[in-house]
């Protein structure tokens, strides 16, 4: 798979989202309406098959480019479980019809599952296996997160068993969900940063744009640095897809991206002033997503504890080699 092909895929996906996702769509989806018609368009495009091999009817895209598609979806605010569906199809390496989501819960009741009541398929881990449950075997209760996205309580009865991939630590889906959220935060951060730069160039105080003030320039530079650092670790974790290092790299990405999301959204709202908090301004769609996604599939504290335990177990003398080995694919 060459770089040119990846750029073509990205370009086509952006054109699709530019055409079909606008402020009206975001308002409709904000805790109110499930957009089945929009999912039909996304499904027809086939981009969610990015990680499925060509032999099995997918695109067979490089994982780094595949997770960049998830970032692109969240840059436009696509209010659908595109990342979850892409990840489930990739883990099972098979195409399917309809929406898919995943839960890191082990069995029985699953709390706050993204689009759980709307999904045609739910992937969970169960007694050393994976269970792909159809919607007909799921009982759901609707809930939403701060961003107005569906986060439903589910009770799963039965489904089809699959062997977990061997490279995923304990077959746990938590790290997969963590990288999906990290990629989503990357896209939302890019949008919030671009909005902040644009607003700083337009908004005037004391007769000149606020972008001319050094304090504002420093804030924007800090935000850009946070975005670059987080993006590098998301790419690094995506590059580890299919290897035993994936869980560790995903933990690094979720931890660092969560930190960056908190800092960048804080700066974005400082730049915008009070208008950024209003529903009339688009920034609210992206900052509320960032605040919600930080806590899903493990907060920074959860993954930092995991990383600390792994490093301590390997011994302090191996700390430097562990860090270098785990971030070899990170380039800002």
């Amino acid at each position: 798979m060459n770089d040119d092909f990846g750029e073509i895929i990205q370009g086509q996906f952006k054109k699709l989202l530019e055409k079909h996702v606008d402020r009206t769509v975001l308002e409709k989806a904000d805790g109110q309406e499930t957009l089945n018609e929009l999912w039909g368009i996304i499904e027809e495009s086939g981009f969610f098959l990015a990680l499925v091999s060509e032999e099995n009817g997918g695109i067979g895209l490089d994982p780094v480019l595949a997770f960049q598609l998830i970032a692109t979806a969240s840059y436009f605010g696509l209010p659908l479980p595109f990342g979850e569906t892409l990840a489930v199809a990739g883990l099972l390496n098979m195409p399917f019809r309809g929406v898919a989501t995943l839960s890191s819960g082990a069995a029985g009741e699953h709390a706050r599952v993204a689009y759980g009541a709307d999904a045609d398929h739910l992937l969970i881990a169960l007694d050393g296996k994976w269970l792909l449950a159809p919607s007909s075997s799921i009982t759901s209760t609707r809930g939403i997160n701060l961003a107005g996205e569906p986060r439903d309580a589910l009770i799963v009865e039965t489904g089809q068993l699959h062997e977990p991939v061997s490279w995923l630590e304990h077959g746990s889906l938590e790290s997969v969900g963590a990288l999906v959220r990290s990629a989503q935060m990357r896209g939302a951060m890019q949008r919030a940063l671009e909005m902040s730069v644009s607003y700083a160039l337009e908004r005037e105080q004391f007769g000149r744009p606020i972008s001319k003030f050094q304090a504002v320039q420093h804030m924007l530079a800090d935000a850009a640095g946070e975005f670059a650092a987080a993006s590098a670790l998301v790419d690094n974790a995506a590059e580890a897809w299919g290897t035993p290092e994936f869980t560790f790299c995903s933990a690094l990405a979720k931890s660092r991206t969560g930190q960056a999301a908190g800092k960048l959204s804080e700066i974005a709202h400082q730049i915008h002033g009070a208008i950024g908090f209003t529903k009339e301004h688009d920034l609210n769609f992206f900052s509320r997503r960032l605040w919600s996604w930080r806590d899903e599939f493990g907060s920074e504290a959860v993954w930092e504890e995991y990383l600390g335990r792994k490093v301590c177990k390997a011994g302090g003398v191996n700390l430097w080699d562990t860090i270098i080995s785990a971030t070899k694919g990170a380039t800002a």
Side-chain angles (χ1 to χ4, degrees), residues 22 42 57 101:
D22 56 18
I42 298 298
T101 189

Side-chain angles (χ1 to χ4, degrees), residues 63-101:
V64 174
L65 297 174
F67 278 89
Q68 287 176 1
L69 289 180
I70 297 176
T72 299
S74 67
Y75 174 87
F76 285 91
L78 179 67
L80 291 168
F82 175 77
E84 287 86 348
T85 306
L86 184 149
V88 171
L91 287 170
L92 300 176
N93 194 23
M94 69 177 200
F96 48 70
R97 301 294 297 181
V99 172
T101 189

Side-chain angles (χ1 to χ4, degrees), residues 126-138:
L126 179 65
D127 298 332
K129 302 282 187 181
W130 283 346
L131 182 75
L132 186 65
S135 57
S136 58
S137 71
I138 299 172

Side-chain angles (χ1 to χ4, degrees), residues 139-280:
T139 304
S140 62
T141 304
R142 180 63 95 194
I144 59 172
N145 64 7
L146 179 65
E149 298 175 307
R151 292 294 183 266
D152 307 320
L154 307 180
I155 299 176
V156 181
E157 295 178 4
T158 185
Q160 183 179 4
L161 290 173
H162 292 263
E163 285 295 328
V165 294
S166 59
W167 48 267
L168 200 56
E169 198 170 291
H170 308 304
S172 170
L173 298 169
E174 183 88 349
S175 58
V176 176
L179 185 56
V180 170
R181 289 291 178 271
S182 299
Q184 289 178 306
M185 284 193 283
R186 175 188 192 173
M189 282 193 292
Q190 183 180 354
R191 188 65 177 271
L193 177 59
E194 289 179 5
M195 282 183 190
S196 300
V197 172
S198 178
Y199 187 78
L201 290 168
E202 296 170 0
R203 180 80 167 93
E204 291 190 2
Q205 277 287 6
F206 307 110
R208 56 179 179 165
I210 61 173
S211 61
K212 296 293 184 183
F213 294 98
Q214 198 170 43
V216 173
Q217 293 171 3
H218 284 165
M219 292 164 70
L220 290 172
D222 283 346
E226 292 291 323
F227 171 70
S231 297
L233 284 175
V234 173
D235 281 344
N236 181 65
E239 191 167 304
W241 178 269
T243 74
E245 290 78 31
F246 175 79
T247 302
F248 193 89
C249 293
S250 179
L252 284 171
K254 186 64 164 61
S255 172
R256 187 63 185 89
T257 308
Q259 292 174 11
K263 183 67 176 176
L264 193 146
S265 59
E266 175 186 316
I267 291 172
H269 280 281
Q270 286 177 328
I271 297 289
H272 281 82
I275 195 172
F277 285 97
T278 65
K279 279 215 164 186
E280 285 70 28

Side-chain angles (χ1 to χ4, degrees), residues 147 184-186 188-189 192 261-262 264-265 285-295:
Q184 289 178 306
M185 284 193 283
R186 175 188 192 173
M189 282 193 292
L264 193 146
S265 59
F285 293 117
F286 299 92
S287 54
R288 284 189 291 132
R289 283 171 166 76
L290 287 172
W291 296 329
S292 299
W293 293 341
R294 283 183 73 179
D295 291 332

